[in-house]
Amino acid sequence: MIVLGIDTSCDDTGVGIASGGRVLANVVVPQTALHARFGGVVPEEASREHLGVIDDALDTALSHAGLEVRDIDAVGATYGPGLVGALLVGLSYAKSLAWGLDVPLVPVHHLEGHLAAAAAEPPFLALIASGGHTALFEVTSWSEIEELGHSRDDAAGEAFDKVARLLGLGYPGGAALSELAATGDDHGVRLPWPMQGNDSIEFSFSGLKTAVALLLQREPDADRAAVAATFERIAIGSLVEVTLRAAERTGMKRLVVAGGVAANRLLRSAFDDAGLDVSFPPPGLTTDNGAMIALAAGRRLTSVDARARLEGAFTIDAVPYQPLAGAPA
Ligand code: KG4
Ligand code: ZN
């Protein structure tokens, strides 16, 4: 079964194709340059850009996979969460395509897409750390996904982006901050550890971010590499600390780490000695993309409890699911 996946939840137009759990194409058209001059994503600009490039992205994905549009057996699209206008573009496009081809439309929760990218089978503990979300999930089965806790304030990626901005590294700055951090002393400045003395399954990054802002105000000539390295050590250390606490409490031995921050070099090696079986998505599938949506949609369609999954743990009211002719019952 050839499944097309579309993700337009934020500022990347993702169109991917998967078949039987294998990725055949993964086209991501980033809008980084468009939003960089504003220092963040401008929703209206993002929607217009998705609309402008989505047709070409589909053509490119089909040609990478060596397929024609009529070869598509199902269309998956992110229905939320994300920027409403941006989501609407991808979801409407997917609906029209599914309707025109008379194939099922599978609405996919964005975070389920991130989980699908890691190619692990439940049960597992999942840490999703991206620009919009930082949360831990206990995934008992694909139809039983329970959130254990999330960030009280900023998402981890958001904190990386804000600190990167303070350091003049542009937007989004997570990867650039990490590169700069690799050259600095990770104990070079004093920054607070988040949620000290709190043993809940929750994250918090805004205090850390504010501490960096205050430090740079106080000491404009502070060693930027040391600031980046210290911030990265603490931000990633806090993610790891809470994740290990959740692993201990749930007794889960398998861990999936997904979302854009899963690309982080410290995070990728942080669990090496934790006695956990850890899966990261392959590099091209960590940040937002359409292939992960195609993988999640394909799994829903081929599962015996497809209906349960369609009505599963991830639900959102904003975009009601309208089954089309041929959609799964
Ligand atoms: O999952 P994603 O592509 O988009 C959202 O759904 O938000 O995640 C993007 C986020 C951005 O905040 C970006 O700065 C961060 O992931 N990121 C990183 C790294 N690469 C991307 N953060 C830390 N280290 C990295 N190497
Ligand atoms: Zn994402």
Side-chain angles (χ1 to χ4, degrees), residues 52-327:
V53 304
I54 196 162
D55 253 333
D56 274 352
L58 173 63
D59 285 346
T60 311
L62 286 168
S63 94
H64 284 182
L67 296 168
E68 306 275 334
V69 72
R70 62 173 171 275
D71 295 325
I72 296 169
D73 298 311
V75 182
T78 303
Y79 67 90
L83 302 171
V84 172
L87 285 166
L88 202 59
V89 174
L91 194 59
S92 309
Y93 191 87
K95 277 186 180 172
S96 328
L97 197 61
W99 184 75
L101 292 170
D102 195 20
V103 299
L105 169 77
V106 185
V108 176
H109 191 286
H110 183 72
L111 298 186
E112 188 179 337
H114 274 302
L115 294 182
E121 279 309 308
F124 56 74
L125 180 69
L127 168 68
I128 298 185
S130 70
H133 307 271
T134 296
L136 278 158
F137 297 89
E138 184 171 2
V139 183
T140 308
S141 72
W142 285 115
S143 55
E144 214 184 329
I145 303 173
E146 189 198 343
E147 191 190 288
L148 301 173
H150 57 258
S151 175
R152 291 184 171 189
D153 38 60
D154 291 355
E158 187 182 357
F160 267 86
D161 292 340
K162 287 177 174 169
V163 170
R165 194 173 173 189
L166 291 169
L167 293 170
L169 295 171
Y171 179 88
L177 186 149
S178 185
E179 250 174 67
L180 176 63
T183 66
D185 174 0
D186 66 1
H187 286 78
V189 294
R190 278 173 66 96
L191 291 172
W193 194 273
M195 312 269 293
Q196 256 177 7
N198 182 322
D199 68 351
S200 66
I201 308 289
E202 280 177 302
F203 306 93
S204 169
F205 295 102
S206 83
L208 177 59
K209 166 204 70 189
T210 304
V212 174
L214 294 174
L215 179 119
L216 291 172
Q217 255 174 33
R218 232 176 24 245
E219 299 171 40
D221 296 328
D223 176 355
R224 288 163 65 254
V227 173
T230 309
F231 165 81
E232 185 182 44
R233 173 179 60 79
I234 295 176
I236 298 297
S238 167
L239 279 176
V240 173
E241 177 186 46
V242 181
T243 303
L244 291 178
R245 188 180 298 145
E248 200 181 305
R249 290 200 188 152
T250 56
M252 289 277 185
K253 291 282 168 240
R254 199 172 316 158
L255 171 68
V256 165
V257 185
V261 182
N264 183 272
R265 71 200 160 88
L266 288 190
L267 191 58
R268 289 191 92 91
S269 58
F271 299 102
D272 285 355
D273 304 320
L276 296 169
D277 173 9
V278 189
S279 318
F280 286 90
L285 297 186
T286 11
T287 49
D288 290 352
N289 66 86
M292 70 185 193
I293 303 301
L295 289 167
R299 192 167 43 217
R300 279 174 176 251
L301 285 168
T302 50
S303 108
V304 279
D305 62 347
R307 191 184 172 87
R309 286 185 194 180
L310 287 171
E311 293 167 355
F314 288 135
T315 53
I316 189 169
D317 295 332
V319 189
Y321 171 56
Q322 296 291 340
L324 295 166

